[in-house]
């Protein structure tokens, strides 16, 4: 079956603009996660959705970052007033229980 | 945020050699996962470990969940060129069966 998909694969934006990143999880997976990976670094947790529960937003670096998950499926990560330090690969993952499966990521470059 | 200590940071090996890498944490983990990431791709799950002391194999890969629940290792036997990539350990902290905490990664390069 289809894996996790993300769009766009690459996004270049000017400092101060807003961006939206999209994630389509594996069908049937109840949990969805966003992570950020800076160049040459490990993955940093951002936010986690599980079913209809309130999301765990403990990893969001600032209030410029927000995410929503509509209908328990697709999720959008929004970054407002982008800064150069937001440049990174944003990875989405989904799971049924413990094993998380990742999408290919969106490479965001803020100029 | 917290990251697991993973070593070595990088390694160059010759094709056919065995490889070993490990991960340590100051906190107890309920689950250990090992991922491989190729350039421009998302991490791919290799092995999942759920029980202290558990030893699990997936082809040429073998991983173990440490008895103390604070460490794990991954072995790759008879390495081949396509083993090149970055290997990450990841785990769930006790009481937080949601977000994964990731290791700093081991970059593996295989020479012919």
């Amino acid at each position: 079956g289809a894996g996790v998909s993300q769009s766009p694969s690459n996004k270049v934006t000017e400092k101060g603009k807003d961006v939206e990143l999209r994630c389509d999880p594996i069908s049937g997976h109840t949990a969805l996660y966003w992570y950020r990976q800076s160049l040459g670094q490990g993955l940093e947790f951002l936010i986690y959705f599980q079913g209809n529960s309130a999301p765990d937003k403990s990893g969001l670096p600032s209030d410029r970052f927000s995410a929503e998950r509509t209908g328990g499926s697709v999720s959008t990560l929004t970054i407002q007033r982008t800064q150069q330090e937001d440049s990174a690969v944003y990875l989405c993952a989904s799971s049924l229980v413990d094993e998380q499966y990742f999408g290919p990521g969106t490479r965001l470059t803020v100029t | 945020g917290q990251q697991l200590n993973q070593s070595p940071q990088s390694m160059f090996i010759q094709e056919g050699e065995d490889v070993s890498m490990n991960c340590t944490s100051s906190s107890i983990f309920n689950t250990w996962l090992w991922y491989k990431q190729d350039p421009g791709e998302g991490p791919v799950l290799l092995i999942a470990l759920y029980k202290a002391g558990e030893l699990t194999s997936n082809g040429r890969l073998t991983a173990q969940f440490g008895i103390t629940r604070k460490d794990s290792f991954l072995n790759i036997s008879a390495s081949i060129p396509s083993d090149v990539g970055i290997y990450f350990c990841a785990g769930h902290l006790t009481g937080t069966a949601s977000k994964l905490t990731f290791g700093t990664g081991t970059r593996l390069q295989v020479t012919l």
Side-chain angles (χ1 to χ4, degrees), chain B:
Chain B
Q2 177 180 352
Q3 284 190 322
L4 303 175
N5 296 315
Q6 193 171 339
S7 64
Q9 252 188 335
S10 65
M11 48 197 318
F12 289 80
I13 61 167
Q14 289 196 322
E15 183 178 7
E17 287 185 349
D18 296 344
V19 174
S20 185
M21 60 191 78
N22 69 78
C23 232
T24 60
S25 169
S26 56
S27 305
I28 288 175
F29 274 29
N30 291 332
T31 304
W32 284 92
L33 305 171
W34 284 91
Y35 288 87
K36 177 179 183 251
Q37 186 175 29
D38 292 327
E41 303 289 329
V44 174
L45 181 63
L46 300 174
I47 290 181
L49 302 160
Y50 295 101
K51 191 176 173 183
E54 179 182 357
L55 184 72
T56 298
S57 292
N58 178 9
R60 294 179 296 107
L61 277 61
T62 302
Q64 184 156 28
F65 192 149
I67 289 290
T68 64
R69 294 200 283 158
K70 292 184 177 181
D71 64 322
S72 177
F73 72 73
L74 175 70
N75 287 341
I76 306 172
S77 62
S79 58
I80 59 178
S82 62
D83 290 335
V84 165
I86 302 177
Y87 292 79
F88 290 101
C89 60
H92 288 298
L93 287 169
T94 298
T96 61
S98 54
K99 62 187 177 185
L100 286 173
T101 298
F102 276 83
T104 46
T106 294
R107 182 180 297 273
L108 178 64
Q109 294 183 261
V110 180
T111 57
L112 299 175

Side-chain angles (χ1 to χ4, degrees), chain A residues 32-34 45-60 66-69 75, chain B residues 98:
Chain A
L32 186 148
Y33 314 78
W34 285 97
F45 167 77
L46 296 177
I47 188 169
Y48 155 62
F49 297 89
Q50 172 64 61
N52 295 321
S53 302
D56 177 354
K57 304 180 183 178
S58 60
L60 295 179
S66 63
E68 62 177 22
R69 187 179 186 193
S75 176
Chain B
S98 54

